[in-house]
Amino acid sequence: MNTVLYVVGGPVDTPYPSIRELCVSYDICECCGCEYCYDDNDAYYQNWITSGCLWFRPEKMPPGWQLKNQLQQQIRPWPPNL
């Protein structure tokens, strides 16, 4: 089952079967550049926000992406208490 997860920065259209699997994947978020299970924490998130929410891989930004929508749909706190 694929799920779109909204985490530190951007949506993660992922083949992970659960949020727990994503949390320990060590993959890099294309939006904010965090490495899951390493620096996907509130300090990284706050730095990303303070720095202007710039995309780590801007070529991967979905058409019509809006920060406001992103912030409303994201999973907070991240990482979740699983």
Side-chain angles (χ1 to χ4, degrees):
M1 174 179 128
N2 287 358
T3 306
V4 176
L5 304 172
Y6 294 84
V7 293
V8 178
V12 178
D13 185 11
T14 176
Y16 305 108
S18 69
I19 293 172
R20 182 181 306 274
E21 293 292 320
L22 174 62
C23 286
V24 297
S25 69
Y26 294 96
D27 286 347
I28 305 294
C29 176
E30 295 173 342
C31 181
C32 70
C34 80
E35 182 176 357
Y36 299 110
C37 200
Y38 179 69
D39 55 9
D40 56 344
N41 55 50
D42 197 51
Y44 192 96
Y45 171 76
Q46 292 302 325
N47 185 52
W48 180 73
I49 295 288
T50 303
S51 298
C53 305
L54 301 176
W55 273 67
F56 181 69
R57 296 192 59 199
E59 71 276 8
K60 297 292 187 173
M61 183 187 300
W65 181 86
Q66 295 181 5
L67 178 62
K68 177 183 171 188
N69 295 340
Q70 176 66 45
L71 296 176
Q72 290 174 347
Q73 298 177 51
Q74 67 184 335
I75 300 169
R76 302 303 302 160
W78 186 268
N81 299 321
L82 299 174

